[in-house]
Amino acid sequence: ADTLAESNIKLIEPGESVPVSKIPDGIFLRTVNDPDDIIWARIPEFRVEMGLAPPVHPSVEIRYTDDYPTENLVFQLARTSDRFYVRLRWMDETENVATKRDAFRDGAAIEFSSGDDYVSYMMGSGAEETVNIWYWHPEGDRVESLAAGGPGSITRLEEQPVTGGSEYLTGANADDSEWIVVMSRPLVAEGEHQISFDRETIPVAFAVWQGADDQRDGLKLVSQDWIIAELTPDTGPAAGN
Ligand code: HEM
């Protein structure tokens, strides 16, 4: 059961905007990607409905089921003067940390459009209209920074500026258990295809892999279409104040 579906966390529909909260200067997380820091209690949570991605690739099609239930992903977006943060949490009855021949790990990712919301949220629209994806792996909280220009083109970038942290919380019942994942990056990052935060809005999308259900590569849960993250400028009070 996905108890988040009944929570009163605001449900964000495809195309809607959400603010990126500014963490005031002088407030620091205990450790950089602490999933349990008290700061998170002060940053608004949003909820998005996740459904199985359409089987656009034959390797996905043979493993696809059209009756997989939707799930809820809770997300928070924040920044300090010099770092961008995303915190994700979702219900997961099983903690799957490693991929073996016949077992798959859990995973989560955030995707950013390098352009506007005309870039396909299905992982980009070609070499000129790419997406940057931050892909968290449970082993060692490794986060890969990837670029894609359409399914099948996913590429690991040379520079790897994104770091992560996570916690698996075991509930009283198995279906109360959840993953909490934080990923972050300096606002300014070197290298091609690393998303620029020097803009007012950035389309974002999310993905979750449930390893216990053999989800991997293109077989995963995704949010539907872009959500627009709104960054507020760093300097000075608003005009008129
Ligand atoms: C409905 C939309 C989507 C479709 C149809 C789709 C399809 C696919 C396919 C076919 C693959 C395997 C082939 C390849 O390597 O490119 C793949 C891999 C991948 N996708 Fe997507 N995708 C979608 C949305 C997303 C979103 C929103 C994200 C991130 C938030 C994402 C992140 C990834 C990652 C990280 C991989 C590599 C996984 C791995 O190798 O373990 N995708 N996707």
mmCIF file of all heavy atoms in Angstrom, residues 62-96:
data_model
loop_
_atom_site.group_PDB
_atom_site.id
_atom_site.type_symbol
_atom_site.label_atom_id
_atom_site.label_comp_id
_atom_site.label_asym_id
_atom_site.label_seq_id
_atom_site.Cartn_x
_atom_site.Cartn_y
_atom_site.Cartn_z
ATOM 1 N N ILE A 62 9.353 -6.538 -23.462
ATOM 2 C CA ILE A 62 9.143 -7.927 -23.038
ATOM 3 C C ILE A 62 8.982 -8.038 -21.522
ATOM 4 O O ILE A 62 8.537 -9.062 -21.027
ATOM 5 C CB ILE A 62 10.273 -8.886 -23.522
ATOM 6 C CG1 ILE A 62 11.608 -8.512 -22.926
ATOM 7 C CG2 ILE A 62 10.340 -8.949 -25.029
ATOM 8 C CD1 ILE A 62 12.643 -9.621 -23.122
ATOM 9 N N ARG A 63 9.343 -6.997 -20.775
ATOM 10 C CA ARG A 63 9.216 -7.069 -19.321
ATOM 11 C C ARG A 63 8.080 -6.183 -18.805
ATOM 12 O O ARG A 63 7.869 -6.061 -17.610
ATOM 13 C CB ARG A 63 10.542 -6.626 -18.680
ATOM 14 C CG ARG A 63 11.689 -7.555 -18.985
ATOM 15 C CD ARG A 63 12.974 -7.074 -18.325
ATOM 16 N NE ARG A 63 13.766 -6.217 -19.175
ATOM 17 C CZ ARG A 63 14.242 -5.029 -18.813
ATOM 18 N NH1 ARG A 63 13.987 -4.544 -17.629
ATOM 19 N NH2 ARG A 63 14.961 -4.327 -19.646
ATOM 20 N N TYR A 64 7.372 -5.528 -19.720
ATOM 21 C CA TYR A 64 6.385 -4.522 -19.348
ATOM 22 C C TYR A 64 5.068 -5.160 -18.907
ATOM 23 O O TYR A 64 4.645 -6.160 -19.473
ATOM 24 C CB TYR A 64 6.141 -3.626 -20.574
ATOM 25 C CG TYR A 64 5.250 -2.438 -20.324
ATOM 26 C CD1 TYR A 64 5.750 -1.303 -19.704
ATOM 27 C CD2 TYR A 64 3.921 -2.458 -20.720
ATOM 28 C CE1 TYR A 64 4.939 -0.205 -19.487
ATOM 29 C CE2 TYR A 64 3.094 -1.354 -20.507
ATOM 30 C CZ TYR A 64 3.612 -0.239 -19.887
ATOM 31 O OH TYR A 64 2.820 0.848 -19.670
ATOM 32 N N THR A 65 4.431 -4.596 -17.881
ATOM 33 C CA THR A 65 3.068 -5.022 -17.524
ATOM 34 C C THR A 65 2.206 -3.775 -17.488
ATOM 35 O O THR A 65 2.634 -2.756 -16.933
ATOM 36 C CB THR A 65 2.985 -5.656 -16.127
ATOM 37 O OG1 THR A 65 3.651 -4.790 -15.209
ATOM 38 C CG2 THR A 65 3.601 -7.029 -16.068
ATOM 39 N N ASP A 66 1.020 -3.827 -18.055
ATOM 40 C CA ASP A 66 0.242 -2.588 -18.091
ATOM 41 C C ASP A 66 -0.653 -2.407 -16.864
ATOM 42 O O ASP A 66 -1.410 -1.468 -16.794
ATOM 43 C CB ASP A 66 -0.537 -2.445 -19.409
ATOM 44 C CG ASP A 66 -1.466 -3.617 -19.638
ATOM 45 O OD1 ASP A 66 -1.676 -4.393 -18.684
ATOM 46 O OD2 ASP A 66 -1.970 -3.754 -20.765
ATOM 47 N N ASP A 67 -0.518 -3.317 -15.884
ATOM 48 C CA ASP A 67 -1.342 -3.140 -14.685
ATOM 49 C C ASP A 67 -0.501 -2.818 -13.447
ATOM 50 O O ASP A 67 -0.933 -3.026 -12.326
ATOM 51 C CB ASP A 67 -2.193 -4.389 -14.448
ATOM 52 C CG ASP A 67 -1.340 -5.652 -14.349
ATOM 53 O OD1 ASP A 67 -0.106 -5.542 -14.517
ATOM 54 O OD2 ASP A 67 -1.909 -6.729 -14.100
ATOM 55 N N TYR A 68 0.717 -2.310 -13.665
ATOM 56 C CA TYR A 68 1.567 -1.961 -12.519
ATOM 57 C C TYR A 68 0.961 -0.743 -11.823
ATOM 58 O O TYR A 68 0.618 0.248 -12.476
ATOM 59 C CB TYR A 68 2.984 -1.659 -13.015
ATOM 60 C CG TYR A 68 4.008 -1.658 -11.900
ATOM 61 C CD1 TYR A 68 4.599 -2.845 -11.468
ATOM 62 C CD2 TYR A 68 4.365 -0.477 -11.264
ATOM 63 C CE1 TYR A 68 5.518 -2.848 -10.439
ATOM 64 C CE2 TYR A 68 5.293 -0.462 -10.226
ATOM 65 C CZ TYR A 68 5.870 -1.658 -9.826
ATOM 66 O OH TYR A 68 6.780 -1.652 -8.806
ATOM 67 N N PRO A 69 0.803 -0.792 -10.496
ATOM 68 C CA PRO A 69 0.137 0.335 -9.820
ATOM 69 C C PRO A 69 0.977 1.612 -9.849
ATOM 70 O O PRO A 69 2.204 1.548 -9.913
ATOM 71 C CB PRO A 69 -0.031 -0.160 -8.379
ATOM 72 C CG PRO A 69 0.955 -1.260 -8.209
ATOM 73 C CD PRO A 69 1.189 -1.860 -9.568
ATOM 74 N N THR A 70 0.284 2.759 -9.799
ATOM 75 C CA THR A 70 1.019 4.020 -9.689
ATOM 76 C C THR A 70 1.530 4.161 -8.254
ATOM 77 O O THR A 70 1.008 3.534 -7.330
ATOM 78 C CB THR A 70 0.132 5.218 -10.042
ATOM 79 O OG1 THR A 70 -0.985 5.216 -9.170
ATOM 80 C CG2 THR A 70 -0.323 5.160 -11.491
ATOM 81 N N GLU A 71 2.563 4.961 -8.094
ATOM 82 C CA GLU A 71 3.121 5.215 -6.767
ATOM 83 C C GLU A 71 3.273 6.714 -6.589
ATOM 84 O O GLU A 71 3.209 7.457 -7.557
ATOM 85 C CB GLU A 71 4.511 4.570 -6.649
ATOM 86 C CG GLU A 71 4.432 3.058 -6.642
ATOM 87 C CD GLU A 71 5.790 2.410 -6.449
ATOM 88 O OE1 GLU A 71 6.750 3.099 -6.055
ATOM 89 O OE2 GLU A 71 5.876 1.197 -6.710
ATOM 90 N N ASN A 72 3.490 7.120 -5.348
ATOM 91 C CA ASN A 72 3.702 8.537 -5.084
ATOM 92 C C ASN A 72 5.148 8.782 -4.703
ATOM 93 O O ASN A 72 5.738 8.018 -3.938
ATOM 94 C CB ASN A 72 2.788 9.001 -3.956
ATOM 95 C CG ASN A 72 1.391 9.260 -4.471
ATOM 96 O OD1 ASN A 72 1.009 10.402 -4.680
ATOM 97 N ND2 ASN A 72 0.644 8.194 -4.714
ATOM 98 N N LEU A 73 5.701 9.856 -5.246
ATOM 99 C CA LEU A 73 7.052 10.293 -4.888
ATOM 100 C C LEU A 73 6.916 11.665 -4.246
ATOM 101 O O LEU A 73 6.233 12.538 -4.792
ATOM 102 C CB LEU A 73 7.916 10.385 -6.153
ATOM 103 C CG LEU A 73 9.326 10.920 -5.943
ATOM 104 C CD1 LEU A 73 10.195 9.894 -5.221
ATOM 105 C CD2 LEU A 73 9.976 11.286 -7.281
ATOM 106 N N VAL A 74 7.540 11.829 -3.095
ATOM 107 C CA VAL A 74 7.540 13.124 -2.421
ATOM 108 C C VAL A 74 8.880 13.796 -2.707
ATOM 109 O O VAL A 74 9.933 13.157 -2.588
ATOM 110 C CB VAL A 74 7.318 12.949 -0.907
ATOM 111 C CG1 VAL A 74 7.470 14.270 -0.170
ATOM 112 C CG2 VAL A 74 5.929 12.358 -0.656
ATOM 113 N N PHE A 75 8.832 15.071 -3.116
ATOM 114 C CA PHE A 75 10.085 15.749 -3.441
ATOM 115 C C PHE A 75 10.162 17.126 -2.803
ATOM 116 O O PHE A 75 9.145 17.765 -2.541
ATOM 117 C CB PHE A 75 10.308 15.833 -4.960
ATOM 118 C CG PHE A 75 9.343 16.736 -5.693
ATOM 119 C CD1 PHE A 75 9.687 18.043 -5.996
ATOM 120 C CD2 PHE A 75 8.111 16.261 -6.096
ATOM 121 C CE1 PHE A 75 8.809 18.874 -6.685
ATOM 122 C CE2 PHE A 75 7.223 17.085 -6.788
ATOM 123 C CZ PHE A 75 7.571 18.388 -7.080
ATOM 124 N N GLN A 76 11.397 17.546 -2.534
ATOM 125 C CA GLN A 76 11.690 18.892 -2.034
ATOM 126 C C GLN A 76 12.845 19.434 -2.857
ATOM 127 O O GLN A 76 13.810 18.709 -3.130
ATOM 128 C CB GLN A 76 12.111 18.829 -0.555
ATOM 129 C CG GLN A 76 10.969 18.455 0.380
ATOM 130 C CD GLN A 76 11.477 18.049 1.758
ATOM 131 O OE1 GLN A 76 12.074 16.989 1.913
ATOM 132 N NE2 GLN A 76 11.247 18.879 2.751
ATOM 133 N N LEU A 77 12.752 20.702 -3.245
ATOM 134 C CA LEU A 77 13.826 21.343 -3.999
ATOM 135 C C LEU A 77 14.317 22.531 -3.186
ATOM 136 O O LEU A 77 13.512 23.315 -2.679
ATOM 137 C CB LEU A 77 13.313 21.839 -5.360
ATOM 138 C CG LEU A 77 12.723 20.775 -6.291
ATOM 139 C CD1 LEU A 77 12.146 21.436 -7.545
ATOM 140 C CD2 LEU A 77 13.769 19.733 -6.680
ATOM 141 N N ALA A 78 15.622 22.658 -3.041
ATOM 142 C CA ALA A 78 16.174 23.737 -2.219
ATOM 143 C C ALA A 78 17.538 24.131 -2.744
ATOM 144 O O ALA A 78 18.169 23.384 -3.511
ATOM 145 C CB ALA A 78 16.281 23.285 -0.762
ATOM 146 N N ARG A 79 17.957 25.328 -2.310
ATOM 147 C CA ARG A 79 19.321 25.721 -2.618
ATOM 148 C C ARG A 79 19.854 26.622 -1.519
ATOM 149 O O ARG A 79 19.085 27.268 -0.794
ATOM 150 C CB ARG A 79 19.396 26.440 -3.949
ATOM 151 C CG ARG A 79 18.738 27.798 -3.932
ATOM 152 C CD ARG A 79 18.913 28.484 -5.258
ATOM 153 N NE ARG A 79 18.436 29.852 -5.199
ATOM 154 C CZ ARG A 79 19.216 30.900 -4.983
ATOM 155 N NH1 ARG A 79 20.518 30.749 -4.797
ATOM 156 N NH2 ARG A 79 18.720 32.111 -4.935
ATOM 157 N N THR A 80 21.152 26.629 -1.386
ATOM 158 C CA THR A 80 21.823 27.633 -0.572
ATOM 159 C C THR A 80 22.391 28.647 -1.566
ATOM 160 O O THR A 80 22.047 28.618 -2.748
ATOM 161 C CB THR A 80 22.964 26.999 0.243
ATOM 162 O OG1 THR A 80 23.890 26.404 -0.682
ATOM 163 C CG2 THR A 80 22.459 25.928 1.193
ATOM 164 N N SER A 81 23.279 29.542 -1.119
ATOM 165 C CA SER A 81 23.899 30.480 -2.061
ATOM 166 C C SER A 81 24.803 29.757 -3.034
ATOM 167 O O SER A 81 25.160 30.295 -4.066
ATOM 168 C CB SER A 81 24.739 31.524 -1.336
ATOM 169 O OG SER A 81 23.983 32.122 -0.359
ATOM 170 N N ASP A 82 25.220 28.536 -2.680
ATOM 171 C CA ASP A 82 26.164 27.883 -3.588
ATOM 172 C C ASP A 82 25.898 26.414 -3.915
ATOM 173 O O ASP A 82 26.675 25.797 -4.635
ATOM 174 C CB ASP A 82 27.602 28.074 -3.101
ATOM 175 C CG ASP A 82 27.809 27.572 -1.690
ATOM 176 O OD1 ASP A 82 26.956 26.817 -1.202
ATOM 177 O OD2 ASP A 82 28.811 27.935 -1.076
ATOM 178 N N ARG A 83 24.773 25.851 -3.436
ATOM 179 C CA ARG A 83 24.469 24.447 -3.766
ATOM 180 C C ARG A 83 23.007 24.262 -4.078
ATOM 181 O O ARG A 83 22.146 24.915 -3.480
ATOM 182 C CB ARG A 83 24.798 23.529 -2.569
ATOM 183 C CG ARG A 83 26.088 22.777 -2.693
ATOM 184 C CD ARG A 83 26.311 21.756 -1.585
ATOM 185 N NE ARG A 83 26.355 20.415 -2.133
ATOM 186 C CZ ARG A 83 27.387 19.926 -2.804
ATOM 187 N NH1 ARG A 83 28.469 20.641 -3.007
ATOM 188 N NH2 ARG A 83 27.334 18.698 -3.285
ATOM 189 N N PHE A 84 22.701 23.334 -4.971
ATOM 190 C CA PHE A 84 21.324 22.953 -5.292
ATOM 191 C C PHE A 84 21.067 21.570 -4.703
ATOM 192 O O PHE A 84 21.902 20.670 -4.847
ATOM 193 C CB PHE A 84 21.125 22.916 -6.815
ATOM 194 C CG PHE A 84 19.703 22.637 -7.222
ATOM 195 C CD1 PHE A 84 18.832 23.693 -7.465
ATOM 196 C CD2 PHE A 84 19.235 21.338 -7.356
ATOM 197 C CE1 PHE A 84 17.499 23.448 -7.833
ATOM 198 C CE2 PHE A 84 17.914 21.081 -7.711
ATOM 199 C CZ PHE A 84 17.046 22.142 -7.955
ATOM 200 N N TYR A 85 19.892 21.415 -4.072
ATOM 201 C CA TYR A 85 19.543 20.145 -3.410
ATOM 202 C C TYR A 85 18.203 19.616 -3.893
ATOM 203 O O TYR A 85 17.252 20.376 -4.080
ATOM 204 C CB TYR A 85 19.361 20.362 -1.901
ATOM 205 C CG TYR A 85 20.596 20.701 -1.142
ATOM 206 C CD1 TYR A 85 21.010 22.025 -0.997
ATOM 207 C CD2 TYR A 85 21.352 19.701 -0.531
ATOM 208 C CE1 TYR A 85 22.154 22.340 -0.278
ATOM 209 C CE2 TYR A 85 22.485 20.009 0.190
ATOM 210 C CZ TYR A 85 22.886 21.325 0.312
ATOM 211 O OH TYR A 85 24.008 21.632 1.026
ATOM 212 N N VAL A 86 18.114 18.312 -4.005
ATOM 213 C CA VAL A 86 16.816 17.662 -4.156
ATOM 214 C C VAL A 86 16.737 16.553 -3.115
ATOM 215 O O VAL A 86 17.716 15.840 -2.877
ATOM 216 C CB VAL A 86 16.615 17.123 -5.592
ATOM 217 C CG1 VAL A 86 17.713 16.167 -6.015
ATOM 218 C CG2 VAL A 86 15.253 16.453 -5.730
ATOM 219 N N ARG A 87 15.575 16.461 -2.456
ATOM 220 C CA ARG A 87 15.340 15.368 -1.503
ATOM 221 C C ARG A 87 14.105 14.607 -1.967
ATOM 222 O O ARG A 87 13.063 15.220 -2.250
ATOM 223 C CB ARG A 87 15.116 15.911 -0.099
ATOM 224 C CG ARG A 87 14.906 14.831 0.981
ATOM 225 C CD ARG A 87 14.775 15.535 2.314
ATOM 226 N NE ARG A 87 14.717 14.669 3.476
ATOM 227 C CZ ARG A 87 13.591 14.318 4.099
ATOM 228 N NH1 ARG A 87 12.418 14.694 3.631
ATOM 229 N NH2 ARG A 87 13.635 13.584 5.195
ATOM 230 N N LEU A 88 14.218 13.294 -2.042
ATOM 231 C CA LEU A 88 13.137 12.441 -2.539
ATOM 232 C C LEU A 88 12.803 11.408 -1.478
ATOM 233 O O LEU A 88 13.698 10.914 -0.785
ATOM 234 C CB LEU A 88 13.587 11.695 -3.805
ATOM 235 C CG LEU A 88 14.114 12.540 -4.964
ATOM 236 C CD1 LEU A 88 14.659 11.640 -6.075
ATOM 237 C CD2 LEU A 88 13.018 13.449 -5.512
ATOM 238 N N ARG A 89 11.514 11.061 -1.355
ATOM 239 C CA ARG A 89 11.175 9.899 -0.532
ATOM 240 C C ARG A 89 9.981 9.167 -1.125
ATOM 241 O O ARG A 89 9.102 9.771 -1.732
ATOM 242 C CB ARG A 89 10.963 10.253 0.930
ATOM 243 C CG ARG A 89 9.885 11.215 1.239
ATOM 244 C CD ARG A 89 9.913 11.579 2.733
ATOM 245 N NE ARG A 89 8.769 12.423 3.071
ATOM 246 C CZ ARG A 89 7.593 11.943 3.492
ATOM 247 N NH1 ARG A 89 7.409 10.656 3.676
ATOM 248 N NH2 ARG A 89 6.595 12.762 3.744
ATOM 249 N N TRP A 90 10.015 7.857 -0.976
ATOM 250 C CA TRP A 90 8.942 7.026 -1.517
ATOM 251 C C TRP A 90 8.876 5.738 -0.704
ATOM 252 O O TRP A 90 9.840 5.322 -0.092
ATOM 253 C CB TRP A 90 9.178 6.732 -3.007
ATOM 254 C CG TRP A 90 10.363 5.860 -3.317
ATOM 255 C CD1 TRP A 90 10.347 4.514 -3.554
ATOM 256 C CD2 TRP A 90 11.728 6.266 -3.429
ATOM 257 N NE1 TRP A 90 11.623 4.067 -3.799
ATOM 258 C CE2 TRP A 90 12.494 5.114 -3.733
ATOM 259 C CE3 TRP A 90 12.405 7.493 -3.311
ATOM 260 C CZ2 TRP A 90 13.880 5.146 -3.908
ATOM 261 C CZ3 TRP A 90 13.790 7.528 -3.479
ATOM 262 C CH2 TRP A 90 14.507 6.367 -3.783
ATOM 263 N N MET A 91 7.658 5.117 -0.706
ATOM 264 C CA MET A 91 7.458 3.892 0.047
ATOM 265 C C MET A 91 8.090 2.727 -0.718
ATOM 266 O O MET A 91 7.949 2.626 -1.936
ATOM 267 C CB MET A 91 5.971 3.595 0.242
ATOM 268 C CG MET A 91 5.129 4.749 0.772
ATOM 269 S SD MET A 91 5.781 5.545 2.241
ATOM 270 C CE MET A 91 5.561 4.244 3.440
ATOM 271 N N ASP A 92 8.775 1.874 0.034
ATOM 272 C CA ASP A 92 9.392 0.714 -0.591
ATOM 273 C C ASP A 92 9.501 -0.368 0.476
ATOM 274 O O ASP A 92 10.199 -0.192 1.471
ATOM 275 C CB ASP A 92 10.781 1.098 -1.134
ATOM 276 C CG ASP A 92 11.389 -0.009 -1.981
ATOM 277 O OD1 ASP A 92 10.892 -1.161 -1.923
ATOM 278 O OD2 ASP A 92 12.368 0.270 -2.682
ATOM 279 N N GLU A 93 8.800 -1.466 0.253
ATOM 280 C CA GLU A 93 8.769 -2.538 1.255
ATOM 281 C C GLU A 93 10.091 -3.255 1.404
ATOM 282 O O GLU A 93 10.300 -3.969 2.374
ATOM 283 C CB GLU A 93 7.719 -3.585 0.851
ATOM 284 C CG GLU A 93 6.314 -3.103 0.997
ATOM 285 C CD GLU A 93 5.310 -4.196 0.666
ATOM 286 O OE1 GLU A 93 5.652 -5.395 0.747
ATOM 287 O OE2 GLU A 93 4.166 -3.845 0.340
ATOM 288 N N THR A 94 10.947 -3.137 0.378
ATOM 289 C CA THR A 94 12.197 -3.897 0.397
ATOM 290 C C THR A 94 13.361 -2.984 0.056
ATOM 291 O O THR A 94 13.279 -2.138 -0.839
ATOM 292 C CB THR A 94 12.157 -5.037 -0.643
ATOM 293 O OG1 THR A 94 11.770 -4.464 -1.891
ATOM 294 C CG2 THR A 94 11.204 -6.136 -0.234
ATOM 295 N N GLU A 95 14.448 -3.195 0.775
ATOM 296 C CA GLU A 95 15.659 -2.403 0.542
ATOM 297 C C GLU A 95 16.563 -3.226 -0.378
ATOM 298 O O GLU A 95 17.160 -4.205 0.052
ATOM 299 C CB GLU A 95 16.336 -2.143 1.887
ATOM 300 C CG GLU A 95 17.580 -1.294 1.793
ATOM 301 C CD GLU A 95 18.303 -1.193 3.129
ATOM 302 O OE1 GLU A 95 18.031 -2.016 4.030
ATOM 303 O OE2 GLU A 95 19.149 -0.297 3.247
ATOM 304 N N ASN A 96 16.636 -2.831 -1.640
ATOM 305 C CA ASN A 96 17.433 -3.585 -2.616
ATOM 306 C C ASN A 96 18.645 -2.744 -2.980
ATOM 307 O O ASN A 96 18.541 -1.787 -3.736
ATOM 308 C CB ASN A 96 16.603 -3.882 -3.874
ATOM 309 C CG ASN A 96 15.331 -4.636 -3.527
ATOM 310 O OD1 ASN A 96 14.279 -4.030 -3.325
ATOM 311 N ND2 ASN A 96 15.442 -5.937 -3.399
#
